Amino acid sequence: MRVGLVDRFGRTHRDLRISLTDKCSLRCTYCMPAEGVPWIPKQSVLTPDEIERVVRVAAAEGIETVRLTGGEPLISPNLIEIVRRLAAIEGPSGPIRVAMTTNGIRLPEFLPGLEEAGLSRLNVSIDTLDPERFLELTRRDRLIDVLAGIEAARRSSLRPLKLNAVVMRGVNEDEVTDLVEFAIEHDAQMRFIEHMPLDIGHTWDRGEMVPREEILAALRSRFHLEPLPARGPAPAEVFSIDGGRSTVGVIASVSAPFCGSCDRLRLTADGQLRNCLFAREELDLRSVLRRGASDEAIRDVFRAGVAAKRAGHGIDTPDFVQPERGMNAIGG
C-alpha cells in the first residue's frame, strides 16, 4: 500500500512551501530589478478556499508542515485567514504546522493576529545591519522597519525564531559575525544562505557567491563551532556556538547540496506545483482546482510531481539552465 509522497529515490515529502504573492515591498538586487517585474494577474492568484483545499489533500498524503512565503506574504490581504484555516487542518500525524518567511517590515502590525490564528514558526530575512548598505541592497530605506519587526518577533511566542541572510562577495560577507551576535541578542538562530541562481535577470555569477567553507571560516574567526547531529531533511547545517545553547546555520545549496534528503514541494502564488526550487517544469494545479476536479485529481497532481522529481538540482552539471521564474514568483 502506498504511504505518503515518496519519490523514486526514497525521499518522503512532508514540507510544502506556498507562495501567497509574487509582490514584495523590497527590490533586493539578487532577486528583482529596481523597477520590479510584471506581476501575476490578480485573477490567477489562488484564493484562500483553493489554498485550503490543496493543503487538505496534501495533508492526507503526508504533508506535515506548510511554510507561507512570497514575494512578501505580509502583503497578502488574506494572510491571517489563510493561517487560521491551515492551522485547523489535521493529517495522519496531527495538525499542520504553519510557518512563514518574511522581510519583517509589517510584523509589529500582524504578529498578534498571526499568533492567535495559529502560526507556529517564523523566519525573517536580514542581509545587513548597515542602513546605507541596506538601502543599496534592497533599494528601499526600510532597515528600521525590519529591525522593529525582528524585535516584535523576539517578544512573541513564535519559536524557533530564525534570521536569514544571503551572503554575497563584496556586499555583506564582512558582517557574518556581527549578524550572529545580533541574532543571539534577539534569541534567534542566524542562518547564512549561499547566493543562488534565482534572480529574474539571470545575472547570477558564481564568483559573487561566498561558499560554505568561507562562511564557516569567518564564523570560526570569532566563535567556536561544533556541528549538531541529526540534520535530517533540514536545509541548514547547524552548529552550536561556543558550547552554549545558541546556534548558527549554513544553507549551502550550491557548494554542498543536500538534495538527497530533500522533503520539500513548492506551490506558486498562481497555483503551479514545483518539485524543486530549481525546477524548469511545473504542474498546473490551479486549472485542476478551477475545473471542479475531485480531491483524487488534486492528489494525482502531487503524486505526479513527486514521481518526476530528479535526484538533484544539477547546478554543477553542464546542462543546468536557470529557472525562468525568479525567487519572488517561486516562493522560498
Side-chain angles (χ1 to χ4, degrees):
M1 180 179 177
R2 185 190 182 103
V3 179
L5 294 167
V6 184
D7 68 17
R8 55 200 167 114
F9 303 101
R11 296 171 295 197
T12 301
H13 294 73
R14 300 185 176 92
D15 187 313
L16 178 62
R17 312 289 173 100
I18 301 178
S19 173
L20 299 184
T21 177
D22 60 331
K23 297 177 181 176
C24 187
S25 43
L26 301 177
R27 295 291 182 272
C28 296
T29 56
Y30 56 81
C31 184
M32 258 193 280
E35 64 276 11
V37 294
W39 306 120
I40 295 172
K42 183 178 180 179
Q43 63 270 22
S44 296
V45 174
L46 294 186
T47 67
D49 285 345
E50 290 169 335
I51 292 171
E52 179 183 5
R53 187 170 181 219
V54 166
V55 174
R56 285 192 181 279
V57 173
E61 289 294 292
I63 291 294
E64 299 173 358
T65 300
V66 170
R67 177 169 295 279
L68 302 177
T69 69
E72 172 47 52
L74 290 175
I75 289 177
S76 170
N78 304 306
L79 174 61
I80 291 177
E81 177 189 357
I82 289 169
V83 170
R84 181 174 289 108
R85 289 190 187 201
L86 300 190
I89 295 173
E90 291 210 21
S93 60
I96 288 289
R97 297 187 297 274
V98 185
M100 184 176 72
T101 297
T102 173
N103 63 27
I105 286 177
R106 300 180 68 188
L107 267 180
E109 171 188 352
F110 278 91
L111 260 178
L114 289 169
E115 288 183 274
E116 186 275 330
L119 189 71
S120 61
R121 290 184 292 160
L122 190 63
N123 288 16
V124 184
S125 299
I126 180 164
D127 298 319
T128 177
L129 298 170
D130 180 89
E132 291 184 6
R133 187 175 283 179
F134 186 93
L135 174 58
E136 182 179 357
L137 180 60
T138 68
R139 305 185 181 101
R140 299 290 187 271
D141 188 12
R142 305 297 299 272
L143 177 59
I144 191 170
D145 299 309
V146 175
L147 296 178
I150 292 172
E151 175 60 23
R154 183 190 67 79
R155 296 193 306 266
S156 78
S157 63
L158 302 180
R159 292 296 184 277
L161 172 61
K162 299 176 182 179
L163 307 182
N164 297 340
V166 177
V167 187
M168 292 159 285
R169 194 175 305 285
V171 177
N172 64 345
E173 79 269 38
D174 59 332
E175 291 191 73
V176 165
T177 54
D178 292 340
L179 283 164
V180 170
E181 291 184 343
F182 173 83
I184 293 172
E185 291 170 0
H186 288 80
D187 192 27
Q189 178 195 95
M190 194 68 224
R191 305 200 311 171
F192 296 106
I193 304 171
E194 288 182 341
H195 186 198
M196 296 179 284
L198 289 168
D199 61 301
I200 292 175
H202 292 198
T203 60
W204 180 79
D205 182 346
R206 183 180 286 269
E208 297 174 353
M209 183 192 78
V210 180
R212 169 187 179 275
E213 289 305 321
E214 287 188 39
I215 295 171
L216 290 176
L219 292 170
R220 287 178 173 132
S221 71
R222 189 177 300 187
F223 310 109
H224 174 71
L225 303 182
E226 287 290 340
L228 297 183
R231 175 179 177 180
E237 184 181 8
V238 179
F239 301 82
S240 67
I241 299 173
D242 293 338
R245 59 182 290 271
S246 297
T247 59
V248 62
V250 178
I251 301 177
S253 300
V254 180
S255 68
F258 39 88
C259 303
S261 59
C262 179
D263 70 342
R264 290 169 294 286
L265 298 169
R266 286 175 167 79
L267 185 65
T268 66
D270 56 349
Q272 307 303 302
L273 184 69
R274 300 174 63 90
N275 58 23
C276 175
L277 185 58
F278 297 95
R280 291 184 55 80
E281 303 83 21
E282 299 176 335
L283 295 177
D284 187 358
L285 257 178
R286 185 187 71 230
S287 293
V288 172
L289 287 163
R290 294 186 178 177
R291 65 171 178 255
S294 64
D295 287 354
E296 288 72 21
I298 298 170
R299 178 202 65 195
D300 289 346
V301 174
F302 273 96
R303 291 186 175 180
V306 168
K309 189 164 182 171
R310 298 174 182 174
H313 53 50
I315 288 176
D316 286 323
T317 60
D319 60 346
F320 175 76
V321 179
Q322 186 173 334
E324 288 296 324
R325 290 188 191 246
M327 189 69 168
N328 72 300
I330 294 171

